[in-house]
Amino acid sequence: MPINEKEYNGYLFDQLTILEDLQEVAEKENAVETLKLISKKRKQVERKLYQQLPLKND
């Protein structure tokens, strides 16, 4: 079942929240490789969340 944009954005914000929680633990443990992966995943989620929609020319 298709979801609307608001619901999809909510999922993306939930993913960012999870990444923030993981980052907090990884920083405490000084897990450098984990922090790199978290950074990569954060960029991927933000790219989806903040993408510019194409303008329609009618």
Side-chain angles (χ1 to χ4, degrees):
M1 173 181 283
I3 58 175
N4 61 33
E5 182 180 355
K6 184 176 181 179
E7 188 176 0
Y8 181 67
N9 285 345
Y11 292 144
L12 294 174
F13 279 117
D14 289 343
Q15 290 178 4
L16 286 176
T17 300
I18 292 168
L19 289 171
E20 289 170 355
D21 293 344
L22 293 173
Q23 182 176 356
E24 183 179 327
V25 173
E27 286 173 351
K28 287 180 184 177
E29 295 179 351
N30 198 25
V32 177
E33 292 299 317
T34 304
L35 288 168
K36 287 179 186 178
L37 182 58
I38 290 170
S39 176
K40 177 182 174 183
K41 292 298 177 184
R42 178 188 304 274
K43 289 175 188 174
Q44 292 171 346
V45 172
E46 287 176 346
R47 183 173 59 234
K48 293 176 190 176
L49 186 61
Y50 300 117
Q51 71 181 349
Q52 294 295 319
L53 298 176
L55 297 175
K56 292 185 178 181
N57 294 327
D58 292 336

